[in-house]
Amino acid sequence: MAAKTEEAALGYEQARDELIEVVRRLEAGGTTLEESLALWERGEELAKVCRHWLEGARARLDAALAKPEETGTDGAAGAGGE
């Protein structure tokens, strides 16, 4: 349960930076099989955190882009009539 709380507390940049470091360590080699598996599992967790943040950001962007279309025509008509 503590791992879930820790993941939720990670910001996108923190998770991304740690993921980059995990990938570097895996690519560099020199780790035991057990260490490599642990790094791989951590990388999967971090990728999930990053994906969650990116999906949230995408939803916020979609919502923000949809608002001007809905209110923009009403607002533009009101501004033009003044």
Side-chain angles (χ1 to χ4, degrees):
M1 189 70 154
K4 293 288 184 189
T5 305
E6 181 186 331
E7 288 175 26
L10 279 178
Y12 172 77
E13 289 82 5
Q14 293 170 311
R16 182 201 59 213
D17 291 346
E18 188 177 341
L19 179 57
I20 290 169
E21 183 57 31
V22 166
V23 170
R24 280 188 190 137
R25 288 180 63 192
L26 284 169
E27 288 178 341
T31 57
T32 65
L33 177 60
E34 191 62 34
E35 290 170 333
S36 294
L37 288 172
L39 285 168
W40 179 271
E41 290 169 348
R42 181 61 179 159
E44 289 291 331
E45 293 169 4
L46 292 165
K48 236 182 261 186
V49 171
C50 289
R51 192 167 29 255
H52 173 76
W53 276 104
L54 291 172
E55 288 169 355
R58 183 54 164 169
R60 288 176 62 190
L61 284 171
D62 289 344
L65 291 173
K67 283 182 182 178
E69 293 174 6
E70 294 170 4
T71 58
T73 51
D74 294 337
E82 289 179 29

